[in-house]
Amino acid sequence: MLSIQKQILEKLGICSDLSLLRVVLDGIPPRRDSKLLIKDLKVDEVPLRIYQPKQPPTGKRRGILYFHGGAGTFGSITFERICRYIAKKCSSVVVSVGYRLSPEHPYPGQYFDCLNATLYFMRNLEEYHVDPALIIISGDSCGANFATVICQILLNKRDLPKVRAQVLLYPGLQGLDFHLPSYQQNASVPLLFRKLVIYFCFRYLNKEPSVLEDVLQNCHVPESMKRKYKKWISADIIPDKFKIRGYVPQKSTSYKPEVHEAVKELLAITFSPLLAEDSIICQLPESYIVTCEFDVLRDDGLLYKKRLEDNGVQVTWYHSESGFHGILAFFGYGIFSFSSGKKIMDSTVNYINSL
């Protein structure tokens, strides 16, 4: 019934599925917070919302950049409750980045928006009383993907302060293998179904979903690429305890060059930072990674954790045994919140405060 109503609204030109989703997921604005100074500004047309504790600092504060999730096509700086919580509990300056959304602003523009916001903040730390040795780059879902890529890009910016840590909350980090155990086990688990991942990827990249089923079967990946990256992206690397719940190894599928050509962006380092070379990974900052058991993207986080550790990067890992993808979208909504989400946030705050 909802699908029929949506189609009627689209035909009338009232809204599309994407605009409806954006309205719903922007949530209810919270009340004013007497403990925070909140300022909105724009940097190169990108909206930023900056949260600062009102209480005068005893010294310089941490500076935390936050990139919201939403598959690059929805979400905004109204992701308030997470940012407010971190700013208050960590006595930190939090910069929420409202990168412009696809398809109106085509991929990979979101990365440039996040990078420009990051450069602005890092070049104006004095204005916000931020310690240049305590810059943290963070995000959830695709926002964690952006955070990962920005940390990799910043390795070449020798004139800027080094990032202290990256905080990645249930990140999506690769478009090479959609048959990892977590994709199979959680294919029909809300909020992010397996097919929905591919659908959102297509919307984000502004592609027609005509080859969606082929991509689900990994037909977009050349055999040479499968062999090259098997050492980093493979079910064989996932610990056995994560394969107990309904995992069946995938049968070999045939490569289809036309499918690869249609969605080759999925395999670019920008979209799939898990494919970055060891020479990049070994230089990355200390990392905090959250994974959720009931999340198709769980194994992306597990694989990145292993890659970082194999390259000598310190990783703090929090796994939510009952968590699901997008659980933090409900954080701060009272009876609609989940205790697992609160535990994720408290673990994240404890980590940030330990730096």
Side-chain angles (χ1 to χ4, degrees):
M1 183 66 179
L2 184 59
S3 177
I4 294 172
Q5 291 171 338
K6 177 174 73 66
Q7 290 173 23
I8 292 170
L9 290 172
E10 284 182 359
K11 287 183 178 180
L12 291 173
I14 296 172
C15 74
S16 66
D17 60 338
L18 201 53
S19 60
L20 185 62
L21 191 60
R22 286 174 180 174
V23 170
V24 170
L25 293 179
D26 271 354
I28 303 167
R31 296 175 181 175
R32 294 182 65 179
D33 196 313
S34 61
K35 296 181 180 179
L36 291 174
L37 290 170
I38 301 176
K39 179 175 76 170
D40 287 351
L41 70 153
K42 281 192 174 183
V43 173
D44 295 331
E45 300 303 313
V46 179
L48 306 183
R49 183 161 291 168
I50 302 177
Y51 304 82
Q52 301 177 78
K54 278 188 178 178
Q55 186 175 349
T58 54
K60 291 196 172 182
R61 290 189 161 115
R62 301 177 193 85
I64 303 169
L65 286 132
Y66 192 90
F67 308 132
H68 65 80
T73 60
F74 54 89
S76 70
I77 55 172
T78 58
F79 208 63
E80 291 263 1
R81 289 163 177 81
I82 298 293
C83 294
R84 290 186 181 197
Y85 192 77
I86 293 173
K88 289 188 289 188
K89 292 291 184 179
C90 300
S91 189
S92 300
V93 177
V94 176
V95 180
S96 178
V97 180
Y99 55 85
R100 290 168 293 182
L101 303 173
S102 182
E104 295 90 340
H105 297 277
Y107 164 90
Q110 293 69 36
Y111 295 94
F112 296 125
D113 284 356
C114 291
L115 178 60
N116 288 337
T118 302
L119 295 177
Y120 160 78
F121 185 57
M122 295 179 85
R123 288 167 177 159
N124 292 276
L125 298 178
E126 197 66 38
E127 179 181 344
Y128 300 104
H129 307 289
V130 167
D131 186 339
L134 289 174
I135 298 171
I136 299 162
I137 297 183
S138 64
D140 68 283
S141 191
C142 81
N145 173 291
F146 299 158
T148 304
V149 172
I150 297 307
C151 282
Q152 293 181 5
I153 291 172
L154 289 176
L155 295 175
N156 296 319
K157 303 286 186 180
R158 304 295 183 184
D159 59 322
L160 295 172
K162 292 185 70 173
V163 175
R164 177 67 178 84
Q166 56 180 350
V167 171
L168 312 176
L169 311 177
Y170 39 76
L173 299 170
Q174 59 87 29
L176 186 140
D177 191 346
F178 297 106
H179 267 277
L180 291 169
S182 61
Y183 269 103
Q184 291 190 30
Q185 296 162 337
N186 302 310
S188 301
V189 174
L191 298 169
L192 190 61
F193 306 127
R194 180 166 168 255
K195 280 191 175 182
L196 204 54
V197 173
I198 313 300
Y199 173 76
F200 281 140
C201 286
F202 277 66
R203 294 300 298 261
Y204 176 42
L205 298 172
N206 203 17
K207 304 284 187 179
E208 291 297 324
S210 55
V211 295
L212 189 148
E213 291 296 333
D214 287 321
V215 174
L216 277 172
Q217 299 305 318
N218 295 336
C219 296
H220 63 301
V221 187
E223 289 302 323
S224 59
M225 187 170 276
K226 288 180 181 178
R227 289 193 296 271
K228 177 180 180 180
Y229 292 119
K230 186 176 175 63
K231 59 186 175 180
W232 297 335
I233 301 177
S234 168
D236 297 340
I237 306 171
I238 303 297
D240 288 341
K241 67 178 181 178
F242 292 106
K243 301 177 189 175
I244 297 170
R245 186 171 52 88
Y247 166 65
V248 178
Q250 183 194 19
K251 294 179 181 178
S252 180
T253 56
S254 299
Y255 167 59
K256 297 183 178 181
E258 68 278 11
V259 177
H260 170 76
E261 187 61 29
V263 295
K264 56 188 176 184
E265 292 90 344
L266 291 176
L267 304 173
I269 301 297
T270 308
F271 191 95
S272 298
L274 189 47
L275 304 181
E277 295 295 328
D278 285 340
S279 58
I280 297 294
I281 301 294
C282 70
Q283 299 181 66
L284 290 170
E286 179 181 335
S287 304
Y288 172 83
I289 298 175
V290 168
T291 54
C292 292
E293 180 60 28
F294 298 100
D295 179 6
V296 287
L297 301 184
R298 180 198 68 199
D299 293 350
D300 285 24
L302 295 178
L303 292 172
Y304 199 52
K305 170 181 177 290
K306 184 177 190 309
R307 284 218 62 201
L308 290 164
E309 290 175 336
D310 287 350
N311 280 275
V313 177
Q314 182 179 335
V315 179
T316 300
W317 172 51
Y318 180 84
H319 183 64
S320 175
E321 296 286 353
S322 58
F324 56 88
H325 194 84
I327 191 170
L328 295 180
F330 299 92
F331 179 77
Y333 279 96
I335 62 171
F336 300 104
S337 297
F338 293 84
S339 59
S340 295
K342 177 67 163 56
K343 289 176 182 176
I344 289 171
M345 285 310 304
D346 287 344
S347 172
T348 303
V349 162
N350 288 340
Y351 171 75
I352 292 172
N353 283 335
S354 73
L355 297 174

